[in-house]
């Protein structure tokens, strides 16, 4: 098996910790893909994503496509000759992108799949009063967070832990889990596990103005969980 040549895709701070770990473990990252720059805040100044800042600091080859099916972007991606894509907190990929590398495309998700698929798994685990959570690596398929699982790792959630604190602990756990996943792919010792569907799965809905409101008729514990989860 040839050495791994990785294209990393991600946007927020959470993804930075994982990319940093991949590089510190001497893996070759041939390209980084992140979101296009956009104005943010009151002054509407152009803001770089956390991953772009990191890529620039570390002289990594950077692509910022607005359309993942754009022919120019696809030809630039192919020209990197990656044999593996690693995705952390990015966006849904078209099949033409995740099918491209020889060893596939895997994602790190901040929950114990199949529970908490979706945009805000760290927040909802706390809001729902879970006592444990974790991370899962899985191969991407047509749907969101449904692919064959490679590895997972679990940690407890304490009663007073905030989403920010849990984010940082899961970033560290995710970093080690991604590195272990890379080692499995590298050695060919890979056994995936299909996600079992059930009606009782919990979902990590995108946070919005409605689901972030405090309902004062709820119990003190539920209100406490909502506040620390946000």
């Amino acid at each position: 098996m040839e050495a791994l040549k990785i294209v990393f895709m991600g946007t927020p701070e959470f993804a930075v910790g994982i990319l940093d770990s991949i590089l510190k473990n001497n893996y070759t990252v041939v390209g980084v893909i992140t979101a296009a720059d956009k104005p943010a805040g009151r002054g509407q100044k152009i803001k770089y994503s956390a991953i772009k800042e990191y890529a620039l600091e570390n002289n990594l080859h950077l692509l910022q496509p607005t359309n993942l099916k754009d022919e120019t972007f696809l030809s630039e991606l192919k020209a990197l000759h990656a044999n593996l894509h690693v995705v952390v907190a990015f966006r849904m990929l078209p099949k033409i992108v995740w099918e491209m590398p020889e060893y596939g495309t895997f994602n790190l998700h901040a929950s114990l799949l199949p529970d908490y698929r979706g945009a805000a798994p760290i927040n909802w685990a706390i809001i729902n009063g879970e006592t444990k959570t974790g991370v899962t690596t899985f191969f991407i398929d047509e749907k969101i967070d449904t692919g064959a699982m490679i590895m997972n790792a679990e940690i407890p959630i304490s009663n007073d832990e905030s989403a920010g604190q849990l984010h940082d602990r899961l970033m560290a756990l995710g970093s080690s889990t991604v590195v272990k996943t890379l080692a499995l792919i590298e050695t060919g010792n890979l056994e995936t596990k299909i996600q079992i569907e059930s009606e009782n799965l919990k979902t990590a809905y995108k946070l919005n103005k409605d689901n972030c409101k405090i309902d004062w008729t709820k119990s003190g514990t539920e209100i406490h969980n909502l506040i620390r989860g946000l």
Side-chain angles (χ1 to χ4, degrees):
M1 180 174 176
E2 63 175 321
L4 294 181
K5 293 193 293 268
I6 298 164
V7 161
F8 184 90
M9 307 184 192
T11 299
E13 194 63 47
F14 188 82
V16 172
I18 318 299
L19 176 55
D20 188 56
S21 243
I22 292 171
L23 289 169
K24 283 186 174 147
N25 280 274
N26 301 315
Y27 285 101
T28 302
V29 175
V30 294
V32 172
I33 298 171
T34 192
D37 303 334
K38 56 185 178 194
R42 280 189 181 172
Q44 288 293 285
K45 286 181 181 160
I46 292 294
K47 189 172 186 329
Y48 292 172
S49 74
I51 279 288
K52 178 170 179 175
E53 300 270 12
Y54 181 88
L56 292 173
E57 282 165 21
N58 291 276
N59 297 316
L60 298 170
H61 186 85
L62 185 69
L63 295 175
Q64 292 181 275
T66 48
N67 177 3
L68 296 175
K69 292 179 181 174
D70 177 73
E71 286 300 328
T72 309
F73 164 66
L74 291 172
S75 61
E76 286 175 342
L77 184 57
K78 275 182 192 146
L80 296 173
H81 300 295
N83 53 20
L84 179 71
H85 292 170
V86 178
V87 183
V88 182
F90 189 49
R91 58 198 248 209
M92 197 165 175
L93 300 179
K95 190 172 184 178
I96 194 165
V97 171
W98 57 257
E99 266 194 347
M100 196 181 286
E102 182 186 351
Y103 305 131
T105 298
F106 81 80
N107 189 309
L108 172 79
H109 188 69
S111 82
L112 297 170
L113 290 173
D115 272 323
Y116 295 110
R117 292 171 180 157
I122 298 172
N123 309 88
W124 284 106
I126 294 178
I127 292 166
N128 290 338
E130 301 291 355
T131 55
K132 65 175 185 181
T133 186
V135 294
T136 308
T137 53
F138 66 95
F139 283 113
I140 286 181
D141 64 9
E142 274 95 348
K143 295 180 189 158
I144 293 178
D145 304 332
T146 57
M149 297 184 291
I150 309 165
M151 286 189 83
N152 61 28
E154 191 179 290
I155 50 172
I157 304 173
S158 69
N159 292 334
D160 285 316
E161 190 162 20
S162 71
Q165 291 164 327
L166 184 57
H167 167 283
D168 292 351
R169 290 204 302 130
L170 286 172
M171 184 163 67
L173 184 68
S175 297
S176 61
T177 307
V178 163
V179 169
K180 285 175 189 168
T181 301
L182 291 174
L184 285 178
I185 292 170
E186 211 171 18
T187 55
N189 294 329
L190 205 59
E191 283 184 33
T192 58
K193 190 176 169 189
I194 299 302
Q195 294 189 39
I196 294 164
E197 299 297 325
S198 94
E199 288 172 13
N200 307 319
L201 291 180
K202 295 161 185 169
T203 304
Y205 303 104
K206 195 171 184 177
L207 298 172
N208 59 43
K209 284 180 181 173
D210 293 323
N211 61 25
C212 290
K213 284 178 181 163
I214 296 173
D215 176 354
W216 295 104
T217 64
K218 291 200 165 175
S219 72
T221 300
E222 286 171 304
I223 291 169
H224 173 66
N225 290 345
L226 178 72
I227 290 167
R228 66 193 181 95
L230 298 175

